[in-house]
Amino acid sequence: MPESKGIAFGGNNGTWQDAPTSRATSGLESLFNTFCVWRYKTTATDAAVPSSPQLVMDGYKVEFNTGSTGTTATNTTGWEYVGINNPNLSSAQTIKYWDYSATSYRFFGYSPFEAKATTSKSATGTANDKKTISFPFAYSDNATVKSIPYISELWFSKESYGNCVTLTFAPLIAKVRFKFSYPEGADAVVIKDIQFRDSRFLADPTTATTPLRGTITATYPLQGIPTSSSPTLSWTTTDTAEGSGASSTGPLILTIPYEEEGDRIHNVSDKSLYGKWYYVPPFNAIPYSQGAYTITANIDGRYASATVPEEFMQWKAGYQYTYIFKITEAGTVINFSDLLVEKWLTGSNIDNNGSGTEDW
């Protein structure tokens, strides 16, 4: 029997990287310094069909402290759970050891620990035993990469005991930006009154049915051998509370193009808005189909528009989308030029490298 060894954690950051720069993984601590984790094990005699999960860590709080690596038996990467105060538990978080007689282990969680989340579990022993974690979502033009919690992939193993458990966290929603490309040699192109929105509601935005508020739920299987490390995402529309003034549906209108400080031409006057991304609902989880999107703008004093086909507007959780519009030499015509689609993936060998529709 191997010597008793305490369980230790690490965290990868599945945040999107702005194409076409490097997309190597980085520590979760670059975004959040806490996460919440569950640990289940099985001890069934038939290791091929893990069942009857036993809860060992019930929403433990794991915390990152710079320079703390190696200070305890359970801190191998700067992340620690032993002795960390957890307001959701009635007893202190204590060290947990690997059980080498267990037939399987599974870990999962979300970050940051402080995120507003609700959890539930189906009845133990049923064939569809599962754990769900739900998060409220409300679309905001001002959201940032840290506005929405991250959810982990499922860490499952029947044999990799004793090693650091590195959970990989990724976003629950999608990320969108739009950019302009200008004629070579142009020193200035003035673009005003920009709106990029669903073509079906151009005439009357108040009729828009785009989901803006709801609950995103991640579901993890607790029995059997999982076929995917990704949790199943689903959506429940949030009914409008009387008097709140917030609707569950409405228009989603993008108005600020993506620009960087070093760009040759600027139409974003507020430098704090450089690098603008929009953090949008995951329509594949809702589900909801957008129509074609039309961009309208006043370019050098003249009205111009362009339309993106609806098949390019079905945003998925964990993907980022870049829409590029080309301004012609005449300066009065705008054309949809290109679409870059990226999905965050582990490792350095990424096939699409920001230049295609990988796994579209």
Side-chain angles (χ1 to χ4, degrees):
M1 178 70 65
E3 182 181 354
S4 296
K5 187 173 183 179
I7 292 175
F9 288 100
N12 278 339
N13 163 18
T15 187
W16 299 281
Q17 305 296 318
D18 293 351
T21 56
S22 170
R23 302 180 59 204
T25 59
S26 58
L28 177 67
E29 64 273 13
S30 65
L31 279 178
F32 307 113
N33 63 1
T34 61
F35 64 84
C36 187
V37 65
W38 281 263
R39 168 201 175 197
Y40 288 86
K41 72 174 181 179
T42 59
T43 55
T45 55
D46 184 0
V49 186
S51 60
S52 303
Q54 177 185 345
L55 177 62
V56 184
M57 286 182 171
D58 187 8
Y60 263 36
K61 180 179 182 180
V62 188
E63 188 173 272
F64 181 84
N65 288 295
T66 303
S68 66
T69 300
T71 55
T72 70
T74 51
N75 185 339
T76 60
T77 62
W79 292 93
E80 180 62 88
Y81 64 90
V82 178
I84 300 299
N85 179 53
N86 187 332
N88 299 330
L89 299 179
S90 58
S91 57
Q93 294 186 170
T94 58
I95 187 171
K96 300 297 182 182
Y97 295 94
W98 289 101
D99 178 359
Y100 291 96
S101 65
T103 51
S104 72
Y105 272 101
R106 64 190 75 205
F107 297 83
F108 53 85
Y110 65 84
S111 182
F113 177 85
E114 299 77 15
K116 185 177 181 181
T118 57
T119 63
S120 65
K121 178 182 176 298
S122 60
T124 301
T126 63
N128 295 318
D129 207 7
K130 58 190 177 183
K131 181 80 172 184
T132 61
I133 308 175
S134 300
F135 305 87
F137 172 83
Y139 172 75
S140 171
D141 291 343
N142 300 317
T144 70
V145 71
K146 293 185 179 182
S147 297
I148 310 298
Y150 277 40
I151 197 78
S152 85
E153 294 183 349
L154 174 65
W155 190 101
F156 174 84
S157 181
K158 297 191 295 178
E159 55 187 20
S160 296
Y161 303 165
N163 297 323
C164 177
V165 176
T166 301
L167 294 177
T168 298
F169 293 83
L172 284 162
I173 43 78
K175 180 181 177 184
V176 172
R177 66 178 172 179
F178 68 96
K179 304 170 65 175
F180 295 116
S181 66
Y182 299 98
E184 186 176 352
D187 295 325
V189 177
V190 179
I191 306 179
K192 298 180 180 180
D193 304 325
I194 304 167
Q195 291 196 330
F196 185 34
R197 61 212 190 279
D198 195 315
S199 306
R200 296 174 298 179
F201 314 117
L202 287 178
D204 186 359
T206 64
T207 63
T209 57
T210 308
L212 300 179
R213 299 169 63 88
T215 299
I216 303 175
T217 298
T219 300
Y220 295 90
L222 297 183
Q223 289 201 36
I225 299 176
T227 57
S228 172
S229 61
S230 298
T232 301
L233 297 183
S234 59
W235 168 280
T236 303
T237 298
T238 300
D239 292 333
T240 304
E242 185 176 352
S244 69
S247 176
S248 59
T249 62
L252 198 162
I253 305 174
L254 313 184
T255 61
I256 303 172
Y258 182 95
E259 294 183 356
E260 296 179 353
E261 189 167 0
D263 287 349
R264 176 168 47 94
I265 296 175
H266 285 288
N267 279 286
V268 177
S269 57
D270 184 351
K271 292 185 178 181
S272 68
L273 296 177
Y274 287 168
K276 177 65 176 178
W277 286 91
Y278 290 88
Y279 299 87
V280 298
F283 292 134
N284 62 316
I286 293 177
Y288 176 81
S289 295
Q290 297 197 112
Y293 257 51
T294 297
I295 187 169
T296 59
N298 183 306
I299 304 177
D300 286 340
R302 296 187 180 183
Y303 175 86
S305 67
T307 297
V308 180
E310 64 178 280
E311 58 264 32
F312 296 144
M313 305 307 302
Q314 308 310 320
W315 303 328
K316 299 179 180 181
Y319 286 73
Q320 67 177 28
Y321 301 82
T322 299
Y323 299 90
I324 301 176
F325 297 96
K326 182 178 180 181
I327 308 300
T328 67
E329 294 285 349
T332 58
V333 179
I334 184 173
N335 293 308
F336 172 50
S337 172
D338 201 1
L339 167 63
L340 308 183
V341 180
E342 295 197 317
K343 181 182 181 181
W344 184 88
L345 296 172
T346 305
S348 57
N349 182 22
I350 306 300
D351 293 332
N352 59 324
N353 290 319
S355 60
T357 53
E358 176 74 9
D359 197 22
W360 175 253

